[in-house]
Amino acid sequence: MGNANQTASVTEFVLLGLSAHPKLEKTFFVLILLMYMVILLGNGVLILVTVSNSHLHTPMYFFLRNLSFLDICYTTSSVPLILNSFLTPRKTIPFSACAVQMFLSFAMGATECVLLSMMAFDRYVAICNPLRYPVIMSKAAYMPMAASSWAAGSTASMVQTSLAMRLPFCGDNIINHFTCEILAVLKLACADISVNVISMGVTNVIFLGVPVLFISFSYVFILATILRIPSAEGRKKAFSTCSAHLTVVVIFYGTILFMYGKPKSKDPLGADKQDIADKLISLFYGVVTPMLNPIIYSLRNKDVKAAVRNLVFQKCFPQ
């Protein structure tokens, strides 16, 4: 009965964030706010450009619109909460709001993993089978591919969030994070979490391991095809069509590997510094990648650059 009463009393969580460093909070509030505005502007413009320009109504830019919309949703699911926590002394979040935020963040992250692999397949078909590209990547194919990415990410998130939030939470309700990050929440459960750990492991293999292998094999075939092109100009043109996607993939997965693959410090003082560093890396991972995506696609894609220039010219000099 005592445990039941304790469990029922946990109606909210406290987000620790940078509470021990109030000076850093003010600095990072301004920095994260500026980056969030760039994310909304950059991805919003990219969506507007690819929708309004008929030349960009192709499978590649359809996936790109999905990626931009996903990045807006991903950051909006967490950044306003983080900004609010920087301004308020008591950083609490209701149990139900924590579940919603956890679901949205996990869903967007898992969806992006699948979507990037779909974009790799699109580039593989475009370069390795250009004559069959209109047939293979027809509207009847690429729209279900994008929809399945969203469905798979949402389903995985629903499963993980349900497993996490049905656990009993008694006693400590302080989350050592900026948001309701699922691993940080699981540490507070006062019950066996082995099912959650196994489920998370399987999900990571499906949504991280499989897409990475798929993308890697796709680019092995893409590079092999590009190297067989006789002219240097032809090789350059072929590579330019996939260089932006490859850059985004390297940044996205590279940051994940850096975050979770680096060794942990055993020294107490070093562990404290590493804890702050881990939080900041996680914080910037959530905003830097969505901020860079539209910049990369704008700088490394001639069609997008031309469409942006035309849109700006039309708005500034209407006829």
Side-chain angles (χ1 to χ4, degrees):
M1 285 296 292
N3 278 343
N5 290 335
Q6 279 184 306
T7 304
S9 66
V10 179
T11 58
E12 63 180 18
F13 292 105
V14 178
L15 300 171
L16 194 59
L18 291 174
S19 299
H21 307 276
K23 292 182 179 179
L24 284 178
E25 286 187 322
K26 295 176 182 177
T27 302
F28 282 107
F29 173 82
V30 175
L31 189 59
I32 299 301
L33 178 60
L34 291 174
M35 294 173 76
Y36 182 51
M37 292 171 66
V38 172
I39 289 168
L40 295 179
L41 179 63
N43 286 286
V45 168
L46 202 53
I47 292 172
L48 179 62
V49 164
T50 54
V51 168
S52 61
N53 193 313
S54 59
H55 297 294
L56 303 183
H57 291 178
T58 63
M60 184 176 78
Y61 295 109
F62 174 78
F63 287 126
L64 182 55
R65 283 197 295 275
N66 275 264
L67 182 64
S68 293
F69 180 68
L70 190 151
D71 284 338
I72 290 174
C73 293
Y74 178 70
T75 51
T76 302
S77 71
S78 58
V79 170
L81 177 65
I82 294 169
L83 293 174
N84 181 65
S85 71
F86 285 153
L87 296 178
T88 55
R90 181 160 176 78
K91 312 166 194 305
T92 59
I93 181 172
F95 190 90
S96 57
C98 184
V100 171
Q101 193 272 318
M102 182 190 297
F103 167 78
L104 291 173
S105 292
F106 197 101
M108 297 304 108
T111 300
E112 183 155 357
C113 291
V114 181
L115 189 62
L116 287 173
S117 66
M118 297 294 185
M119 295 173 78
F121 177 74
D122 172 72
R123 292 299 83 206
Y124 161 77
V125 177
I127 293 174
C128 299
N129 296 282
L131 297 179
R132 297 189 62 202
Y133 181 77
V135 177
I136 297 174
M137 295 304 296
S138 64
K139 192 172 184 178
Y142 68 74
M143 290 192 74
M145 286 169 65
S148 65
S149 301
W150 287 91
S154 299
T155 302
S157 181
M158 181 63 73
V159 171
Q160 296 305 324
T161 303
S162 300
L163 287 174
M165 302 315 282
R166 67 199 292 258
L167 292 168
F169 296 93
C170 40
D172 190 10
N173 68 334
I174 300 175
I175 299 175
N176 188 24
H177 211 275
F178 294 102
T179 62
C180 292
E181 200 267 339
I182 191 166
L183 295 178
V185 173
L186 289 177
K187 292 178 182 178
L188 304 181
C190 51
D192 182 25
I193 61 170
S194 56
V195 173
N196 300 77
V197 173
I198 294 170
S199 179
M200 280 290 292
V202 172
T203 302
N204 286 339
V205 170
I206 295 172
F207 285 89
L208 287 175
V210 173
V212 166
L213 285 175
F214 186 85
I215 292 170
S216 299
F217 280 117
S218 295
Y219 273 100
V220 166
F221 287 112
I222 287 171
L223 290 174
T225 302
I226 290 174
L227 291 175
R228 287 200 297 269
I229 298 174
S231 68
E233 186 63 29
R235 289 194 296 269
K236 183 180 178 181
K237 185 178 180 180
F239 184 74
S240 67
T241 64
C242 60
S243 60
H245 173 259
L246 183 59
T247 305
V248 168
V249 166
V250 170
I251 293 173
F252 181 77
Y253 286 106
T255 310
I256 292 176
L257 291 174
F258 177 76
M259 276 183 5
Y260 295 106
K262 63 184 188 301
K264 301 292 183 182
S265 175
K266 295 182 179 180
D267 177 55
L269 293 175
D272 182 58
K273 291 180 180 178
Q274 183 171 314
D275 179 60
I276 298 172
D278 288 345
K279 287 181 184 178
L280 293 178
I281 291 170
S282 175
L283 176 64
F284 280 101
Y285 166 73
V287 291
V288 169
T289 304
M291 183 183 71
L292 290 179
N293 286 352
I295 297 174
I296 291 168
Y297 272 98
S298 297
L299 293 177
R300 302 186 70 87
N301 189 296
K302 294 180 179 179
D303 293 333
V304 174
K305 280 195 288 188
V308 171
R309 282 197 300 266
N310 290 337
L311 181 65
V312 172
F313 185 82
Q314 289 172 7
K315 295 296 181 183
C316 294
F317 306 101
Q319 293 182 354

